[in-house]
Amino acid sequence: MNKLVIILSFIPFFANAQDGRLMVQGKAGNLYLNHIAAPKENFYSIGRIYNISPKEIAPYNDLALEKGLSLGKAIRIPLKNNFIQNGDVAADEVTVPLYHKTTAKETLYQLSTNYNKVPPATLRSWNNLKGDALTPGQDIIVGYLKVKKDLSSLAQRSTVVPAVKSDTKPVETIVVVKEPVKEPVKITPEKVTPAVVKTEPVAEIKITPVAPPTVNISQKDLKEGSFKSLFDDSGKVQTGTAGIFKSTSGWEDGRFYCLHDTAPRGAVIKVTNTSTGKWVFAKVLDIMPDLKQNNDLKIRLSNAAADALGAGENNFTCTINH
């Protein structure tokens, strides 16, 4: 009787463990799902649930296929041929959404990279996102699990993979400038046979100076940035440290760019160097990646923008209006 009570008390636990959203674990090249073994389950029954051979599940968990599973055993389910991101399924299969829970400062670009380089536009369509901004703890669909209609208990959660909406946002590209490596030029001396030179009168060549082309951008706009007219001041003000990245843009046309920790892609923000009092208007390319070197930064500006602010090549304190 006591054994029966104990077993029955476990049933709600296992049911709840399998009923929530399927959250993907691991990193690119080694993605998997977690599964808790329920009563009477084995490698074969679990394989039917997730549409994967038990011969792949057992070695993935460093377990022997011929041995049974203990109640409550944590099993990792590898995502291989059962994981899709293009909507192609067989007639007897359906798709179940798989999710990733976001962390602080995680970007859509990082999710794209970690999940087989699925295009950011696809992630936006799957999750009905209007932009690239993410909030910590957000559940984002990153792909779909293929399961058999008649074999998997997960088939009841099936959804159709939505068609990808066209990405109408222009893609801004940062061109990183690499300093050329100067190698010493080796000159091999050669024996030169003196030549007989005949002296003849040299014709006089007149050079007419050519006027430089007219530039339509005013000097003021060039210094403050050609995106000035697109600036929409919402009243938000930040003060913090600005970093710099190298770019070929902005030196001649005043097209200044930046990476910001919260502003949406395409927004134009005003950045003021608190030391020099100079300001520029820069367009946001994307959210700053969640990297160690960005932990203390509020913004990263192109080196052309930093030069216009009189900042040089080092980080500096700035005020941000957006």
Side-chain angles (χ1 to χ4, degrees), residues 20-226:
R21 287 179 169 176
L22 299 177
M23 310 301 294
V24 182
Q25 308 295 327
K27 295 183 178 180
N30 186 29
L31 301 175
Y32 62 91
L33 300 172
N34 284 324
H35 178 92
I36 304 299
K40 297 183 179 180
E41 279 191 334
N42 54 41
F43 287 117
Y44 292 90
S45 60
I46 294 174
R48 287 192 291 271
I49 293 174
Y50 297 98
N51 195 20
I52 189 169
S53 170
K55 294 180 180 180
E56 293 190 69
I57 301 176
Y60 189 76
N61 289 271
D62 296 323
L63 298 172
L65 180 62
E66 61 273 10
K67 292 185 178 179
L69 293 173
S70 57
L71 189 63
K73 176 70 176 177
I75 300 295
R76 291 177 300 154
I77 309 299
L79 293 175
K80 295 184 177 181
N81 294 333
N82 53 350
F83 181 55
I84 64 166
Q85 293 173 301
N86 56 13
D88 293 335
V89 295
D92 63 340
E93 294 176 331
V94 292
T95 55
V96 180
L98 301 180
Y99 295 84
H100 169 93
K101 189 172 291 294
T102 60
T103 58
K105 288 191 175 182
E106 199 163 35
T107 67
L108 206 67
Y109 174 77
Q110 287 174 296
L111 295 190
S112 168
T113 302
N114 194 50
Y115 292 101
N116 303 329
K117 297 183 178 180
V118 58
T122 300
L123 293 175
R124 284 195 292 270
S125 289
W126 287 348
N127 295 278
N128 294 317
L129 299 176
K130 295 182 179 179
D132 293 349
L134 301 175
T135 57
Q138 188 174 0
D139 288 352
I140 298 294
I141 297 175
V142 292
Y144 292 82
L145 181 73
K146 291 193 302 183
V147 298
K148 299 292 183 181
K149 293 179 183 178
D150 301 328
L151 298 179
S152 175
S153 58
L154 297 174
Q156 59 186 345
R157 306 190 201 178
S158 66
T159 60
V160 177
V161 180
V164 177
K165 302 173 186 176
S166 60
D167 189 2
T168 57
K169 295 187 177 182
V171 178
E172 304 281 7
T173 304
I174 301 174
V175 180
V176 178
V177 179
K178 294 184 179 180
E179 298 294 335
V181 179
K182 297 182 179 180
E183 297 182 356
V185 179
K186 296 180 180 180
I187 301 176
T188 303
E190 297 181 355
K191 293 181 180 181
V192 180
T193 303
V196 178
V197 180
K198 295 181 180 180
T199 304
E200 296 181 357
V202 179
E204 182 180 357
I205 301 175
K206 293 182 179 181
I207 300 176
T208 304
V210 179
T214 302
V215 179
N216 294 326
I217 301 174
S218 69
Q219 290 300 314
K220 184 177 180 182
D221 287 341
L222 189 62
K223 291 181 179 180
E224 294 184 356
S226 59

Side-chain angles (χ1 to χ4, degrees), residues 240-261:
T241 303
I244 301 169
F245 63 82
K246 288 187 177 181
S247 171
T248 58
S249 178
W251 295 101
E252 296 180 358
D253 56 8
R255 296 173 70 85
F256 301 140
Y257 295 98
C258 67
L259 302 172
H260 191 256
D261 60 350

Side-chain angles (χ1 to χ4, degrees), residues 269-273 278-280 299 301 309 316 318-320:
I269 62 181
K270 179 181 179 181
V271 183
T272 304
N273 186 339
K278 296 179 179 180
W279 63 79
V280 298
I299 192 171
L301 288 162
L309 290 171
F316 60 96
C318 68
T319 300
I320 304 167

